[in-house]
Amino acid sequence: PTLSTEFLRGVQQMDPNDWSRFVKTFGPIVYGWCRCSGVPEDDASDLVQEVFTAVARGVSNFERQKQSGSFRSWLAPITRNKTRD
């Protein structure tokens, strides 16, 4: 899935409907990344929550870059860093 500009704006503005859609869309992706990184199944859901907390704190600073950055390329390192923690 991709994050449209309008959808991203809603997430950045903490719109409850867009956040719900965001979590439903990207939650399974983040969960899969956690599991692939060796996070036990029992801990992966908690880690997903930590990732989304970090996203909520930083998403207002996210700016789409044509050359380097999709939203996933911003989200993936957040997930990696949380799995390392």
Side-chain angles (χ1 to χ4, degrees):
T2 59
L3 200 62
S4 71
T5 300
E6 183 178 326
F7 183 22
L8 174 61
R9 191 172 303 119
V11 171
Q12 289 174 318
Q13 294 173 352
M14 302 297 169
D15 177 87
N17 292 326
D18 286 327
W19 261 98
S20 178
R21 182 175 157 210
F22 172 73
V23 169
K24 287 178 186 173
T25 301
F26 286 92
I29 294 167
V30 171
Y31 182 86
W33 289 341
C34 292
R35 294 290 290 135
C36 286
S37 295
V39 175
E41 186 176 346
D42 293 343
D43 297 330
S45 294
D46 292 335
L47 190 56
V48 170
Q49 292 293 328
E50 290 182 34
V51 169
F52 285 125
T53 298
V55 168
R57 289 185 184 129
V59 73
S60 63
N61 297 321
F62 173 77
E63 292 182 26
R64 186 168 283 149
Q65 303 291 323
K66 279 193 173 198
Q67 298 206 3
S68 64
S70 68
F71 185 78
R72 278 194 205 201
S73 67
W74 181 78
L75 183 60
I78 293 171
T79 305
R80 276 194 305 274
N81 290 336
K82 290 296 178 184
T83 60
R84 289 180 191 144
D85 290 347

